[in-house]
Amino acid sequence: MIESASKYLSLVALLVGLALVWLRPGQEDLLKVDTVISSLLKYEAKYVEENQPRIAVGYGACKDLFVTGSHMLANVSFPANPDNFMGVGDEDQLVRMYGFFFKAGAAAERFVHGQELWKELLETGLKDTEHRWGLGGNAPVMAARFAREGAKVLLGAKLSPGLAEWLPEGVEVAGGDIESDDVHLIMEYKRNEEWDGVVSPRANRFIIHHDLNNPMVSSLEQFRQALPLFNPQLLVVGGLQMMDNFPFREGERLERILLIRDQMVAMDQDTRVHFEMASFVDESLLAELTEHIIPQADSLGMNEQELPNLHSLLTKGEVTTMADSNPRIAEVLDQMREVYSILSVDKGTNRPVTRIHLHTLAYQAILTAKGSPWKNTGAAAVKSSLTAHRHVCADKEVKPEKSFLIMDDSFSTSKEGGRRVPFINTRPLTCWEEEDLGVNICIAPVLVCAQAVQTAGGGDNISAAGLVVQI
């Protein structure tokens, strides 16, 4: 009996030893990632949207021209004085600004002021042997994602007949035709890409454009006429960063913003309204949006740069230049709570915010008001996480060998007095209630794509995927 037990223990010891040899550091990480993927996929499968929600999305559209940043700045040294500017006035500003955001691994979007400079940049981009075209604009990208997830969609945008063909089935367009689409030049860079010894901490993009159609929100009137008959369950407002630094006539921008506000106000209370944040650099524009647009939204979507921007404007009255590209969870949760506390107050003329979705490289965080109509908050965080990977990798299958985690092994729920929450591979989704604020919060890790194919449009796909399971 003792001899048998001894043999058994020896066998166990041998198997453990072999496992330790087999699970070298890299393979341990792979096993952890594989476990997380399996857990997230099982959770996603439980919440498949079988209805066909009606979602209206505005405004604008464009063609995205994807190029490598290294091609655009070939034979150009990393700038001695990288800096941030309101827009792109010349090539020197482009180089200094690209370097500024490249070094931080942060996304940004800027208007190119000169027509000739814009033509030259487009010509340079088209010479990139790796260039490719894609459907662009916050609204069309979100509309396409909604449609792929089974929704019936009304898109408010002016499109050329050729660009309209890029939309998937299930998307109806209200806005009219145009002969020539606006073009956005997406200058992409990879994680750990090197430029004169400066290494990018993550894959990202710097977007430049010279839009003449989108800043005017020219589809607004036709979109407004189509909304009553379409009767949406959700209205999504986005693309307003195109107004940033555009040369409007005096008072023209505010005039268009107020018309958008009126459209949001006109929505039935049963129709929820979501505002998708973006890269805003003009403080006066963000102030106008904070005064007129954000108070009419039930839900807000934003990334790790946009949350501190909104938080700073609401609490300090100023816009931030740039924030941490991989912020700690405790810090962003505190910012989300403060933003929610300010915007959830019912003043009688607004829609109190009942949902905030933060999407970052490392994790998805969704806050919803208890008792609000937003359902399946955990499923939304999981869906957003998996969509982030699928979009950036351009692969529907989530593969361990293409994935890695940068979310910490544990996190605190607040910088002050928060509780420490461990990361559990078999239960990667973490949700809890906060009675004092009356909210539910869910956090899911993102399986970061190790072989990034595309980063532009990531936030739009992520946000749309999260919304569609919560309607």
Side-chain angles (χ1 to χ4, degrees):
M1 187 75 165
I2 294 174
E3 185 178 345
S4 298
S6 177
K7 287 181 179 180
Y8 175 75
L9 290 173
S10 297
L11 179 61
V12 170
L14 176 62
L15 291 173
V16 169
L18 289 172
L20 290 173
V21 171
W22 179 69
L23 289 175
R24 293 185 293 272
Q27 289 169 321
E28 286 181 26
D29 291 342
L30 195 63
L31 181 62
K32 176 180 178 179
V33 167
D34 190 41
T35 303
V36 172
I37 290 173
S38 298
S39 301
L40 292 176
L41 289 174
K42 285 178 183 176
Y43 199 93
E44 180 189 38
K46 293 180 183 177
Y47 295 92
V48 178
E49 183 56 56
E50 295 180 352
N51 298 318
Q52 192 177 36
R54 297 182 309 282
I55 305 174
V57 192
Y59 306 87
C62 68
K63 286 181 178 177
D64 279 347
L65 175 58
F66 295 87
V67 298
T68 54
S70 57
H71 166 82
M72 295 297 297
L73 301 178
N75 303 316
V76 176
S77 300
F78 188 86
N81 52 348
D83 205 351
N84 184 28
F85 300 95
M86 297 282 282
V88 179
D90 53 39
E91 289 185 20
D92 178 65
Q93 287 187 349
L94 174 63
V95 173
R96 291 171 64 190
M97 198 152 27
Y98 183 80
F100 182 81
F101 290 102
F102 175 92
K103 186 176 181 178
E109 188 168 357
R110 294 294 184 271
F111 181 79
V112 176
H113 292 287
Q115 177 69 23
E116 289 305 312
L117 174 60
W118 175 243
K119 285 182 178 179
E120 291 173 10
L121 292 170
L122 267 185
E123 288 172 3
T124 301
L126 288 168
K127 292 176 183 175
D128 186 351
T129 56
E130 296 181 30
H131 84 265
R132 67 188 190 282
W133 291 96
L135 177 69
N138 303 86
V141 172
M142 292 187 79
R145 171 54 57 189
F146 284 134
R148 292 188 189 103
E149 299 296 338
K152 184 178 181 182
V153 185
L154 175 68
L155 169 63
K158 285 187 180 294
L159 303 161
S160 70
L163 185 57
E165 293 178 0
W166 294 3
L167 291 168
E169 289 185 17
V171 179
E172 176 188 345
V173 180
D177 295 339
I178 53 174
E179 292 183 7
S180 180
D181 297 294
D182 286 331
V183 174
H184 290 189
L185 193 57
I186 318 292
M187 299 170 60
E188 297 185 304
Y189 52 87
K190 303 291 187 183
R191 175 174 174 263
N192 293 329
E193 185 172 322
E194 188 174 338
W195 181 13
D196 285 350
V198 178
V199 179
S200 61
R202 58 172 286 187
N204 225 320
R205 72 281 182 189
F206 183 71
I207 304 174
I208 52 178
H209 69 93
H210 188 71
D211 284 12
L212 300 177
N213 181 51
N214 288 321
M216 298 301 299
V217 197
S218 55
S219 61
L220 177 64
E221 284 73 16
Q222 290 192 43
F223 186 55
R224 181 176 59 204
Q225 291 174 8
L227 278 173
L229 182 61
F230 184 74
N231 189 26
Q233 294 164 269
L234 174 69
L235 169 66
V236 176
V237 174
L240 301 190
Q241 76 276 12
M242 293 298 98
M243 293 179 161
D244 211 311
N245 273 283
F246 184 76
F248 288 99
R249 296 194 313 271
E250 182 70 29
E252 189 176 27
R253 184 181 73 190
L254 180 57
E255 186 179 297
R256 300 303 287 173
I257 287 174
L258 292 177
L259 286 173
I260 296 168
R261 179 205 61 187
D262 293 345
Q263 190 169 87
M264 297 167 75
V265 170
M267 291 294 102
D268 188 277
Q269 284 301 310
D270 291 334
T271 299
R272 277 166 274 173
V273 180
H274 173 85
F275 177 59
E276 189 66 21
M277 295 283 291
S279 177
F280 296 104
V281 66
D282 185 338
E283 192 169 309
S284 66
L285 172 60
L286 188 52
E288 289 176 357
L289 296 177
T290 304
E291 181 180 356
H292 302 294
I293 300 299
I294 290 175
Q296 303 306 327
D298 305 282
S299 169
L300 302 173
M302 60 199 78
N303 67 19
E304 73 286 343
Q305 299 292 317
E306 295 148 11
L307 172 62
N309 217 2
L310 177 60
H311 177 265
S312 178
L313 189 66
L314 289 172
T315 58
K316 301 176 185 176
E318 59 187 35
V319 172
T320 58
T321 301
M322 184 166 51
D324 189 345
S325 63
N326 187 20
R328 305 305 292 265
I329 292 176
E331 182 177 1
V332 300
L333 287 179
D334 286 344
Q335 291 178 343
M336 290 173 73
R337 291 185 187 100
E338 279 198 80
V339 169
Y340 175 79
S341 295
I342 294 168
L343 298 178
S344 63
V345 176
D346 189 347
K347 298 177 181 178
T349 58
N350 66 313
R351 281 178 178 252
V353 162
T354 52
R355 179 183 183 273
I356 299 175
H357 179 184
L358 172 71
H359 39 88
T360 80
L361 180 67
Y363 51 85
Q364 304 291 321
I366 301 180
L367 176 155
T368 53
K370 291 177 66 176
S372 71
W374 302 106
K375 60 182 182 179
N376 305 331
T377 302
V382 168
K383 185 73 174 179
S384 298
S385 170
L386 293 170
T387 300
H389 178 93
R390 289 164 177 153
H391 174 77
V392 176
C393 274
D395 191 343
K396 291 182 180 179
E397 187 178 351
V398 184
K399 301 173 182 175
E401 61 272 21
K402 284 188 176 183
S403 312
F404 64 96
L405 294 161
I406 59 175
M407 185 168 161
D408 295 333
D409 289 334
S410 67
F411 65 89
S412 177
T413 57
S414 177
K415 288 168 67 176
E416 295 183 9
R419 64 184 177 91
R420 176 67 50 180
V421 179
F423 181 87
I424 302 172
N425 301 347
T426 54
R427 292 169 55 195
L429 173 67
T430 304
C431 297
W432 68 92
E433 293 184 2
E434 296 190 357
E435 295 293 339
D436 56 336
L437 203 58
V439 297
N440 298 305
I441 297 176
C442 287
I443 292 182
V446 170
L447 296 147
V448 184
C449 178
Q451 301 170 23
V453 176
Q454 56 191 1
T455 59
D460 298 323
N461 276 275
I462 292 164
S463 203
L467 280 165
V468 79
V469 295
Q470 289 204 267
I471 302 171

